[in-house]
Amino acid sequence: MSRELTPAQLRRARWLSLGLGVEREPSAGAVVDRLGALQGQDLPGVLHSLAIRLERATVDDISRAFDDKTLVRGWPMRGTLHVLRAEDLRPLTRITRKRVLGSMAGRARALNITDAEIDDVMLSVSDDLISSGPVTRAELRDSVARAYHGGPSSQTVSHLIYRLAVNGTICHGPFRDGQQLIVHTDSWIGHRAESDAEEFLARMLRRFVSGHGPVSDADAARWFGLPLTTIRAARTRLGDAICTVETASGPQWMVSGAETEQILASLHRRPPVRLLPGFDEFMLGYGDRSFAVPEQFLDEIVPGGNGMFRATVCSGASVIGTWSKDKKRGAIAVAPFSDVTPSMKNAIRVAAREVERVTGNQVTVQFPD
């Protein structure tokens, strides 16, 4: 396949690949199968992101996919929380953790934590979690503090927990009273036979491309937190399963097959208005967000580059503003990048019904005076 996409077509193709079109997935597991993983440091946001890709799901429905061990929330890439299939956490972590653990070594030295102490804590905390089952974050901190002799500082405890997380020893599993609990990974999901690392990475790359394409090799390397050479080797392994389309920023990958053909045949249709939560893959899945956000408004999405992504108002697969929720007043406050017409205001009000459906809470929509 050799086709050149305009900037508008690139936006729309990514929108459809991400499962944001009219077609809905049958389950939360199917969404993750499509995308590979979803960034998950904002728990309410990722539950919302999963729910809007299903036909009639609520965030409570999504939480049950964690309770039944279909999904977990762990740290498989870049030392950042993601939601993924339970069986994918360990093999993906084994591939990606070397870089992150290496970057943590200096911090461990600054805190005077030795490798032997790290090993002792990991063994002790693992035993605690296997015995206790799911725990709260406070209970985990207590376990780590007991395992590290000498009254560790709060910073030391946090570093050791992060080490357990990046290593794949722990992850977030079931919910209790609205709080997601932490589990011992192997004890929770069961021990799985190790898969071939190169074959597994190739499969995950195909899922990333399927659920985010068109993407560049740099997008994939950034998403996985792996060197370009490793990503290109995985791409080579996939052979004809990946095709290339041309864009203004260079060649990009999509999966070969009927689904991509259907996406490319649908690019003349303008996607409707939708309200996406903060941290959705539409913003997090790509290194350069200017494909969907006017460059002069990029700082509105991540104010001051502080890593906190605002929820977005999207029309035609372009970001036209941000929104926030006032829980006390049951209101959605829309902050458009420019004046909006009466018809656009109506479209945003219609889109807000999806927020009501997903969260189970009625909302009103407020616009600037």
Side-chain angles (χ1 to χ4, degrees):
M1 179 188 300
S2 179
R3 175 167 175 174
E4 186 168 350
L5 302 183
T6 66
Q9 290 172 329
L10 173 64
R11 289 194 297 274
R12 293 178 185 184
R14 287 177 170 177
W15 183 265
L16 295 173
S17 291
L18 285 161
L20 293 169
V22 295
E23 299 292 331
R24 298 290 192 267
E25 294 293 344
S27 67
V31 175
V32 174
D33 287 341
R34 181 190 186 98
L35 274 67
L38 292 84
Q39 198 144 321
Q41 63 265 58
D42 175 33
L43 179 57
V46 74
L47 296 178
H48 193 141
S49 284
L50 285 160
I52 63 174
R53 288 168 166 85
L54 305 182
E55 189 62 45
R56 290 185 175 85
T58 67
V59 292
D60 289 337
D61 296 327
I62 302 301
S63 69
R64 286 191 276 275
F66 294 89
D67 295 340
D68 68 15
K69 307 181 184 181
T70 299
L71 304 180
V72 294
R73 194 165 60 110
W75 292 259
M77 299 178 289
R78 310 188 311 276
T80 301
L81 274 163
H82 286 78
V83 169
L84 69 169
R85 280 274 186 182
E87 61 266 29
D88 292 335
L89 176 59
R90 275 302 216 173
L92 186 54
T93 299
R94 279 192 287 267
I95 293 170
T96 61
R97 66 187 172 192
K98 183 178 179 180
R99 272 188 161 189
V100 181
L101 290 173
S103 70
M104 296 173 65
R107 181 60 176 160
R109 286 193 297 271
L111 293 169
N112 294 315
I113 306 173
T114 67
D115 289 344
E117 288 171 329
I118 291 172
D119 291 342
D120 287 346
V121 167
M122 292 183 72
L123 284 172
S124 178
V125 173
S126 293
D127 288 343
D128 278 357
L129 289 176
I130 291 169
S131 175
S132 69
V135 298
T136 65
R137 186 169 181 84
E139 290 167 336
L140 176 63
R141 292 187 70 87
D142 288 343
S143 176
V144 171
R146 287 193 304 269
Y148 187 90
H149 305 293
S153 67
S154 177
Q155 289 179 326
T156 295
V157 171
S158 295
H159 180 84
L160 290 168
I161 288 175
Y162 191 43
R163 179 68 180 248
L164 287 160
V166 170
N167 193 59
T169 305
I170 61 173
C171 65
H172 291 274
F175 283 79
R176 185 174 69 204
D177 299 328
Q179 182 178 6
Q180 192 171 27
L181 302 181
I182 297 168
V183 296
H184 181 263
T185 302
D186 288 343
S187 178
W188 176 248
I189 67 175
H191 180 73
R192 309 292 175 99
E194 289 194 21
S195 56
D196 178 81
E198 292 181 354
E199 180 182 341
F200 177 80
L201 179 59
R203 288 202 310 270
M204 288 298 295
L205 176 61
R206 188 191 182 284
R207 287 163 64 184
F208 169 71
V209 175
S210 174
H212 294 76
V215 293
S216 66
D217 53 2
D219 286 324
R222 172 195 160 277
W223 194 77
F224 283 100
L226 291 171
L228 268 172
T229 52
T230 302
I231 294 300
R232 288 169 178 164
R235 159 67 184 93
T236 298
R237 193 178 184 93
L238 288 169
D240 292 340
I242 300 294
C243 62
T244 300
V245 294
E246 296 296 329
T247 72
S249 55
Q252 303 210 5
W253 299 336
M254 297 185 77
V255 295
S256 302
E259 186 171 358
T260 289
E261 294 290 351
Q262 183 177 355
I263 287 172
L264 294 178
S266 303
L267 298 183
H268 62 286
R269 301 192 187 102
R270 179 182 175 84
V273 173
R274 294 190 79 177
L275 305 183
L276 301 188
F279 294 90
D280 191 86
E281 286 292 305
F282 188 54
M283 289 290 95
L284 274 293
Y286 311 93
D288 182 2
R289 299 176 190 98
S290 64
F291 79 93
V293 185
E295 204 148 346
Q296 67 270 32
F297 295 115
L298 285 170
D299 284 345
E300 297 296 321
I301 306 299
V302 196
N306 62 4
M308 299 303 295
F309 284 75
R310 286 175 170 165
T312 54
V313 181
C314 300
S315 176
S318 292
V319 178
I320 63 168
T322 63
W323 65 276
S324 58
K325 191 157 55 172
D326 184 334
K327 292 182 180 179
K328 290 183 179 179
R329 297 164 61 186
I332 285 176
V334 174
F337 295 153
S338 58
D339 292 339
V340 291
T341 63
S343 63
M344 179 58 70
K345 287 183 178 181
N346 286 335
I348 292 172
R349 291 188 183 99
V350 170
R353 294 173 190 166
E354 184 172 61
V355 178
E356 292 183 329
R357 187 260 298 171
V358 165
T359 63
N361 299 315
Q362 284 192 325
V363 297
T364 58
V365 181
Q366 299 177 339
F367 295 95
D369 294 332

